[in-house]
Amino acid sequence: MEKHVVSISLGSSSRNHVAVSEFAGQKVRLERIGTDGDKAAAKALLRRLDGQVDAFGLGGTDLFIYAGNRRYTFRESAEIAAVAKETPIVDGSGLKNTLERRVIRQLAKDGIVQFKGKRALMVCAVDRFGMAEALEEVGCINSYGDLMFGLGLPLPLHSLKALDRLARILAPVVTRLPVSLFYPTGETQQERRPKFAAAFNAADIIAGDLHFIRRYMPDRLPGKIVITNTVTDKDKELLRQSGASLLITTTPELDGRSFGTNVMEAVLVAMAGKKAAELTAQDYEALLDRLAVKPRIECWT
């Protein structure tokens, strides 16, 4: 029987997509439904589909962010997720912490990207702490744009220790505020507001959340390597036209679309035969091997 996973997103409905793919011989229907920032609509969808599908993804927001060994929960997202009583719901953070480390290490091992000594701009690291650690591990010189793109302050961070110290101070406060104050939701995801161009221009690699990248990047990214996901054909064309040289999405291309990590994590949960809360990092690693999940790599030069 076909598995069915549904991502309920606070993002734009113009990015909705459906694909049917096969993982380890199991057909899975993947569906992304945007609610244009309408939290009540997101809760209504969760109520209607609860118990009817195999797993939910929660998109357009984070449920958890990480810094060091600490995890912080967004109150607003937790209230939405709590509506699902029977179907497991995940936000992709578990997969980010495993898949994205794994992708960076594999790209380095296979020589697809020569990371050592390259300057990487992570537009936001607290939602992708695993990728940030992996980029440092393979020799990148990282800058973190959490204060710049999340809070609008012209203050790049240059170490994970600084990020950890900042998160300890700000995360308990920020996670109690509406996500829309510091992350584009609904139709605002489609708006371009370029800023902090110098940070983009100084980097060889632009990494992290696509909505931050697309919203704030300058018109030109000549020769840059972009590592992200949740990429539509329109996003791909924007990046290609900017002059970027290489696009890597940590989730695979399925029917012309790289779904978000929340969707792929929901696929793993649907296939796992365990409750989401019981899945360990080792379980995710084993599932990624079993399902042969590969990144998407597109070279334009």
Side-chain angles (χ1 to χ4, degrees), residues 154-270:
L155 301 171
L157 301 171
H158 298 292
S159 74
L160 288 174
K161 282 186 179 177
L163 182 70
D164 185 30
R165 285 195 295 269
L166 178 77
R168 290 185 193 207
I169 296 168
L170 291 183
V173 178
V174 167
T175 50
R176 298 177 71 82
L177 300 174
V179 172
S180 58
L181 290 180
F182 42 83
Y183 185 76
T185 60
E187 284 304 313
T188 62
Q189 289 185 346
Q190 305 304 313
E191 297 173 1
R192 295 278 325 282
R193 295 182 182 178
K195 65 178 180 180
F196 301 127
F200 284 95
N201 293 336
D204 304 298
I205 297 169
I206 313 297
D209 186 278
L210 176 73
H211 295 303
F212 276 142
I213 294 173
R214 189 187 55 232
R215 185 176 178 84
Y216 298 120
M217 71 182 216
D219 291 337
R220 299 291 297 159
L221 293 175
K224 310 295 183 188
I225 297 167
V226 179
I227 305 176
T228 186
N229 61 32
T230 324
V231 171
T232 65
D233 284 344
K234 192 174 176 182
D235 300 325
K236 186 178 78 173
E237 188 57 19
L238 175 70
L239 293 168
R240 195 183 67 77
Q241 292 285 346
S242 77
S245 63
L246 185 64
L247 169 66
I248 297 167
T249 63
T250 55
T251 53
E253 179 180 356
L254 300 173
D255 195 19
R257 170 72 176 269
S258 301
F259 284 97
T261 49
N262 73 89
V263 183
M264 290 308 302
E265 188 172 349
V267 170
L268 298 192
V269 168

Side-chain angles (χ1 to χ4, degrees), residues 22 63 110 171 218 267 269:
E22 192 167 304
L63 184 53
D110 294 345
V267 170
V269 168

